[in-house]
Amino acid sequence: MGTLTLGNYTCELPGDASGPRGKELPDYAFRVVNASNYKASGVRGSYLYTGDRVVMTGGKLKGLKFRRVSTGFLRQVDDAGKEMEMRCVLTSRAF
């Protein structure tokens, strides 16, 4: 088991070459506040991080699943583990 880097994560869908880099999804933004807890829209929740998988186990984002691609970069996956379009990126660290 592990923990995510503390700070704010912005979630987005990829853009294209003719427009913005990505389409921000504010309803999915969250802040990791301590070892296994996050806040989204003011609601505290929990997550479980094992191997390269992150599962939101409580709170507003309960049920969302991610694969940790690198430090501060998560890609949403479906129940079968297939990558989906949404990505969440650490945009500011907490100190």
Side-chain angles (χ1 to χ4, degrees):
M1 292 195 338
T3 59
L4 296 172
T5 302
L6 300 180
N8 294 308
Y9 288 75
T10 298
C11 298
E12 63 183 16
L13 294 175
D16 60 42
S18 66
R21 212 173 50 218
K23 180 183 179 211
E24 193 170 333
L25 301 170
D27 288 344
Y28 293 93
F30 62 94
R31 180 170 47 102
V32 175
V33 294
N34 66 29
S36 60
N37 290 281
Y38 71 92
K39 273 191 171 181
S41 300
V43 177
R44 193 178 197 93
S46 56
Y47 70 88
L48 178 63
Y49 172 29
T50 54
D52 67 347
R53 303 293 179 191
V54 177
V55 179
M56 301 308 206
T57 56
K60 181 179 182 230
L61 303 178
K62 182 178 180 176
L64 274 180
K65 297 176 177 72
F66 298 96
R67 181 176 73 84
R68 183 177 172 266
V69 177
S70 63
T71 301
F73 182 37
L74 306 172
R75 172 79 67 187
Q76 184 182 12
V77 295
D78 64 17
D79 289 337
K82 180 181 174 191
E83 288 191 2
M84 300 174 72
E85 286 191 317
M86 186 171 74
R87 59 191 176 218
C88 298
V89 182
L90 178 65
T91 53
S92 64
R93 294 178 85 138
F95 296 99

